[in-house]
Amino acid sequence: NPAKALESERNLRRLRIFQLVTSRAVKDADGRLGLLVVTRDLWSLRLEQGFQFTGSQFDYLSLRLTERNLFGRNKNASLVFALDPITWRLGQRYYDRRINLGQLQLSQGVDLIFKREDGGYDGIDVSADLSRPFYRLGQRWGFRFPFRYLDNHFRQIQAGQVVTWDDPETAAVEA
């Protein structure tokens, strides 16, 4: 069935652990029809980074060491470090595209947030996402349940400094 063969190729590509996925119909010596699937793996350990400068002002640095095929099981695990002018974060991420016999997808992460000034604790960021994406052509429904818990101090930063605000309705000067 050509539609099912293409669907299988598409699902293999969505795993994102293969550089190449292709399939062909083949016949054996007895004339029986079969399907030959050819894949080529990707290098799965990566250091991903991001950074931002505005002029000469440092805004943001992000480093993420990611294993995209943990233990050969197509699980994605990362260690994360992020730095901005006021805080730094250290955390982890885990992503599993196929749990419960391939029906469900799970993503989760935890970041601890610290102040750059003295290294003191500044908060936590926890997230999880459970979903049932569309994997098959005949699948009728899917769902997604995201969750996030964020407990930290929000600071507006401009030119590397915290922007302060004074409430005009009070006599006291707030920062």
Side-chain angles (χ1 to χ4, degrees), residues 144-157:
R144 181 173 179 222
F145 294 116
F147 165 82
R148 185 164 188 202
Y149 173 78
L150 179 61
D151 179 19
N152 75 327
H153 298 92
F154 177 78
R155 298 172 187 90
Q156 182 68 38
I157 301 169

Side-chain angles (χ1 to χ4, degrees), residues 9-175:
E9 280 185 38
R10 192 169 42 254
N11 283 333
L12 285 170
R13 283 189 197 98
R14 281 190 68 197
L15 295 175
R16 296 183 185 159
I17 59 170
F18 299 115
Q19 180 178 0
L20 170 73
V21 176
T22 187
S23 63
R24 298 285 183 263
V26 294
K27 282 187 181 180
D28 67 8
D30 297 330
R32 292 181 294 183
L33 189 61
L35 184 66
L36 172 67
V37 178
V38 178
T39 62
R40 182 174 178 191
D41 291 351
L42 283 174
W43 180 257
S44 60
L45 184 64
R46 303 185 185 242
L47 177 63
E48 302 163 343
Q49 74 281 338
F51 57 89
Q52 179 178 325
F53 285 89
T54 303
S56 63
Q57 178 62 48
F58 161 75
D59 293 323
Y60 184 77
L61 169 69
S62 168
L63 298 172
R64 185 172 177 160
L65 185 62
T66 302
E67 170 57 46
R68 294 181 182 261
N69 192 13
L70 189 63
F71 307 119
R73 307 284 297 160
N74 191 29
K75 314 299 183 207
N76 187 321
S78 301
L79 295 175
V80 179
F81 173 79
L83 181 70
D84 67 35
I86 306 300
T87 62
W88 61 276
R89 293 174 169 243
L90 190 59
Q92 61 82 24
R93 306 283 184 280
Y94 178 76
Y95 180 50
D96 189 344
R97 292 176 182 88
R98 303 250 182 194
I99 60 174
N100 190 29
L101 301 174
Q103 298 293 311
L104 301 175
Q105 202 171 78
L106 173 69
S107 171
Q108 72 78 225
V110 177
D111 285 351
L112 296 175
I113 307 166
F114 302 92
K115 297 178 215 167
R116 280 187 65 181
E117 181 180 305
D118 61 6
Y121 176 79
D122 199 43
I124 190 167
D125 187 354
V126 178
S127 63
D129 192 314
L130 180 67
S131 63
R132 182 176 189 246
F134 290 97
Y135 284 122
R136 298 184 321 272
L137 292 174
Q139 187 173 328
R140 292 179 148 317
W141 61 274
F143 65 81
R144 181 173 179 222
F145 294 116
F147 165 82
R148 185 164 188 202
Y149 173 78
L150 179 61
D151 179 19
N152 75 327
H153 298 92
F154 177 78
R155 298 172 187 90
Q156 182 68 38
I157 301 169
Q158 184 176 22
Q161 301 297 317
V162 175
V163 176
T164 59
W165 181 75
D166 181 30
D167 186 353
E169 309 249 338
T170 65
V173 177
E174 298 89 6

